[in-house]
Amino acid sequence: MWEERLQIEGPYHFDLILERLSMDPLNAVDVNNRTVKVPIYEPEREVATIQAVGEVEAPEFIIKGRNEKTKESVQEKLAHIFQWHVSLKDVDKHFAETDLHEIFAQHRGTPLILDFSPYTCLIKCIIHQQLNLKFAMTLTERFVHTFGEEIDGVWFYPTPEKTASLAIEELRELQFSQRKAEYAIGLSQMIVNGELNLEELSVESDEMIMKTLVKIRGIGPWTAQNFLLFGLGRPNLFPIGDVGIQNALKKLYKLEAKPDHPAMEQFSEAWKPYLSYASLYLWRSIETTE
């Protein structure tokens, strides 16, 4: 076992992070004790625990892990997942002069938290495609509980090897559609066969990653953009096809109908180069009221 204390620059609102993470029943979140247990997939599976002991303007954490040998790599992964290296002061300053200033004030210090691995991000996006959020989470939970692994109270998604070996009928029994089952298994088989290397892809430009991913059956622009945003933490993504963002803009600008794509492009021009944060805070603006 190992334990470290970490201080980072504020603002950083860990309690709002826990609130958002707790929306997913697969996440091991304890809001009262301000902790989350994080599944670490590589170099070997283990569980790390983060507990907030600081405040928004002076964030401080106690981080615990189980294996001293992987301590450094675990700390690096946690720093990446929780975006501890990003200055939210710069983001706040940028949006203070935009139409989103009230939303950013309300959710001040909310960072862009990544999914716990790039592969699980893609699989989750495929499962969530064209489903309402409640059933999407239910279906994801069934998938992980059936084929994944639980360690120390934390659920790990099945490996690409496990998913690649499944029969379509096994996913259909969980209420996957035929195509969704084919997409999840097909993606996993590409990774196992070496046709798709997410680690190598992750260092490419946004454009190259989009171009590569949309060639894969079952991955369209929405899924590719969400992978860039929540799988890799790219800062300037604005998924204009996302219904949640459309609804948030409808509410913000008091529109009679959801905005079309040209209008969304026009609205978002002033939010560059932090479009990912605009996306996140717009989602937050409706998650907390609906």
Side-chain angles (χ1 to χ4, degrees):
M1 292 286 292
W2 55 267
E3 180 177 315
E4 291 280 345
R5 288 183 85 95
L6 172 72
Q7 293 179 325
I8 65 170
E9 180 186 47
Y12 192 95
H13 205 321
F14 197 69
D15 296 304
L16 289 183
I17 295 167
L18 292 179
E19 180 184 301
R20 191 161 206 264
L21 287 174
S22 67
M23 294 169 60
D24 186 338
L26 286 167
N27 290 331
V29 175
D30 184 337
V31 173
N32 292 330
N33 288 315
R34 305 179 75 198
T35 63
V36 58
K37 290 183 175 180
V38 181
I40 304 296
Y41 286 85
E42 295 176 350
E44 58 188 65
R45 291 193 166 194
E46 61 177 299
V47 174
T49 302
I50 302 173
Q51 181 178 22
V53 292
E55 303 302 330
V56 175
E57 301 304 328
E60 185 174 359
F61 309 98
I62 297 173
I63 306 167
K64 298 178 182 178
R66 301 194 305 175
N67 189 341
E68 189 73 35
K69 292 181 180 179
T70 58
K71 174 180 174 181
E72 188 174 334
S73 66
V74 167
Q75 289 176 322
E76 289 177 359
K77 289 183 189 303
L78 292 176
H80 179 59
I81 291 169
F82 289 89
Q83 297 286 282
W84 286 330
H85 59 286
V86 176
S87 172
L88 293 179
K89 282 186 177 178
D90 296 338
V91 177
D92 270 2
K93 184 178 179 181
H94 178 81
F95 284 97
E97 305 299 325
T98 72
D99 293 346
L100 299 185
H101 66 278
E102 289 186 5
I103 292 175
F104 270 77
Q106 182 181 355
H107 302 282
R108 186 169 183 270
T110 303
L112 183 68
I113 302 300
L114 308 193
D115 283 303
F116 298 139
S117 86
Y119 170 69
T120 63
C121 179
L122 268 183
I123 283 291
K124 186 165 74 172
C125 284
I126 287 175
I127 295 174
H128 281 228
Q129 286 172 0
Q130 297 179 322
L131 297 178
N132 67 65
L133 185 59
K134 184 177 180 180
F135 183 64
M137 287 187 171
T138 297
L139 193 59
T140 308
E141 194 173 14
R142 288 177 190 166
F143 171 68
V144 175
H145 285 178
T146 305
F147 302 111
E149 179 184 13
E150 186 181 12
I151 301 174
D152 192 22
V154 176
W155 279 100
F156 287 71
Y157 278 65
T159 63
E161 290 77 11
K162 176 64 178 178
T163 308
S165 71
L166 297 176
I168 289 172
E169 292 72 23
E170 291 179 276
L171 292 181
R172 294 283 286 138
E173 288 175 1
L174 303 181
Q175 288 190 283
F176 274 64
S177 67
Q178 176 78 17
R179 285 188 176 180
K180 200 177 290 287
E182 292 173 358
Y183 297 159
I185 293 170
L187 169 71
S188 303
Q189 289 173 341
M190 288 185 67
I191 292 172
V192 172
N193 296 338
E195 299 172 66
L196 177 65
N197 186 314
L198 293 180
E199 187 174 343
E200 292 180 359
L201 186 65
S202 67
V203 301
E204 299 290 349
S205 67
D206 291 0
E207 293 75 20
M208 179 59 71
I209 293 171
M210 285 284 294
K211 186 177 179 181
T212 300
L213 289 180
V214 296
K215 292 178 182 178
I216 298 171
R217 188 166 177 257
I219 296 181
W222 180 87
T223 297
Q225 287 175 323
N226 273 270
F227 174 75
L228 282 164
L229 212 165
F230 293 115
L232 303 181
R234 298 297 173 88
N236 201 37
L237 270 295
F238 193 66
I240 59 175
D242 186 271
V243 174
I245 290 178
Q246 293 169 1
N247 285 331
L249 290 173
K250 178 185 174 185
K251 176 186 173 185
L252 174 67
Y253 291 112
K254 298 179 173 59
L255 304 174
E256 291 185 3
K258 288 182 289 189
D260 58 20
H261 290 186
M264 292 177 72
E265 294 281 7
Q266 184 177 351
F267 292 148
S268 66
E269 191 62 35
W271 306 334
K272 298 174 181 178
Y274 297 115
L275 287 176
S276 296
Y277 291 89
S279 303
L280 173 64
Y281 282 65
L282 285 166
W283 279 314
R284 288 297 292 152
S285 73
I286 58 173
E287 284 171 355
T288 53
T289 58
E290 295 186 351

